Amino acid sequence: MDTASVVVPAREEVARLERTLDSLAKQVFDGELEVVVVASGSATLAAAREHSVTDRVLVDEWENGPGAARNRGAEAATGELLLFTDADTVVPPAWVRCHRRHYATPSVVGVGGPLRPITGAVRHRLLFRLLSDWWYRLSWPLGFVQQPGCNCSVRRSAFEAVGGFDESLPFLEDTDLSLRLRDEGVVVYDHTCPVETSARRQREEGYLPLFLAYFVGYLEYAIPGRSPSRAHFR
């Protein structure tokens, strides 16, 4: 895969988006890389358009949540490899290369990696390690693959084959995509490819309430005819 596209949904994220785009500008990648930002809010749109790394900016009103924004970005992107991150996330310089290397194996259709908190607080670092790394290491071999939306990639052909993100889901749309991708091939978890992301949700809501929200969401997802109801992206 010599062409890769990074899709960044950004909902009123002007204060954090520049840091995300700065990290994408530092990518060490020997192929062709493009950055597509799907944004709402005049200030966020302006920040996306003004940054030198941005190749394309799409206006989005967020009526249908982050899944729709990511789908719109993927549709406009040109890369054979689609990568997704968020506007409150910082990726390391070898992030694209780290994901891309797995696709040398033809059966691989998706890759996910762990999350680390941007803050240096010990509590956040320990709990992120537990919930956003070791949980994946335990659940992945059991078939419960969960590419996190801010650190995942998909082979374009597989993404199109499964119809992209399910726009009807306001919650767990990244887990849903991961599980459907298993029908197309292998979804890899790479614990050596972390990104740093904001811990604001954890600070505002607390880890236990968030854990319970995810637990209920998983149950709703598993029950036929039900859909996860929490609108967690903001």
Side-chain angles (χ1 to χ4, degrees):
M1 286 189 175
D2 295 323
T3 60
S5 300
V6 181
V7 176
V8 185
R11 181 184 184 187
E12 300 287 356
E13 286 283 10
V14 64
R16 298 176 178 87
L17 178 60
E18 185 172 359
R19 182 172 55 183
T20 300
L21 296 178
D22 285 345
S23 71
L24 290 172
K26 298 174 183 177
Q27 289 302 295
V28 179
F29 180 61
D30 54 1
E32 182 180 339
L33 179 66
E34 73 171 350
V35 175
V36 180
V37 179
V38 186
S40 68
S42 57
T44 303
L45 284 163
R49 288 168 176 151
E50 291 169 3
H51 202 286
S52 61
V53 78
T54 308
D55 295 290
R56 188 168 304 183
V57 179
L58 305 177
V59 180
D60 193 271
E61 298 301 329
W62 299 95
E63 295 180 356
N64 297 312
R70 293 188 180 111
N71 282 343
R72 187 172 181 193
E75 184 178 0
T78 61
E80 300 170 87
L81 175 62
L82 300 173
L83 300 103
F84 299 92
T85 193
D86 289 339
D88 61 354
T89 301
V90 174
V91 302
W95 182 64
V96 175
R97 178 184 287 179
C98 184
H99 276 261
R100 196 271 296 268
R101 67 185 179 185
H102 293 283
Y103 294 93
T105 302
S107 61
V108 172
V109 296
V111 178
L115 312 182
R116 305 278 189 264
I118 289 178
T119 174
V122 173
R123 177 174 69 99
H124 290 301
R125 299 197 74 82
L126 288 175
L127 289 170
F128 263 70
R129 177 76 70 164
L130 175 64
L131 300 173
S132 299
D133 185 0
W134 284 103
W135 166 242
Y136 296 148
R137 298 195 200 200
L138 292 173
S139 64
W140 222 276
L142 300 177
F144 190 38
V145 297
Q146 306 165 74
Q147 295 167 280
C150 62
N151 188 10
C152 72
S153 64
V154 184
R155 193 184 293 272
R156 174 182 284 280
S157 58
F159 185 82
E160 294 176 348
V162 300
F165 290 93
D166 185 341
E167 298 182 12
S168 71
L169 295 176
F171 184 40
L172 299 179
E173 76 287 341
D174 45 6
T175 296
D176 170 74
L177 175 68
S178 305
L179 293 172
R180 287 186 287 115
L181 281 172
R182 293 182 308 167
D183 294 334
E184 301 300 317
V186 178
V187 182
V188 174
Y189 178 65
D190 186 344
H191 71 276
T192 70
C193 190
V195 301
E196 292 188 332
T197 194
S198 171
R200 56 181 166 165
R201 186 171 296 113
Q202 288 78 4
R203 285 196 300 267
E204 293 171 0
E205 300 188 38
Y207 283 90
L208 181 58
L210 275 174
F211 175 81
L212 293 175
Y214 272 90
F215 180 73
V216 171
Y218 291 144
L219 290 178
E220 291 177 327
Y221 180 81
I223 298 173
R226 293 293 299 274
S227 174
S229 56
R230 176 185 170 87
H232 96 290
F233 188 94
R234 64 176 188 277

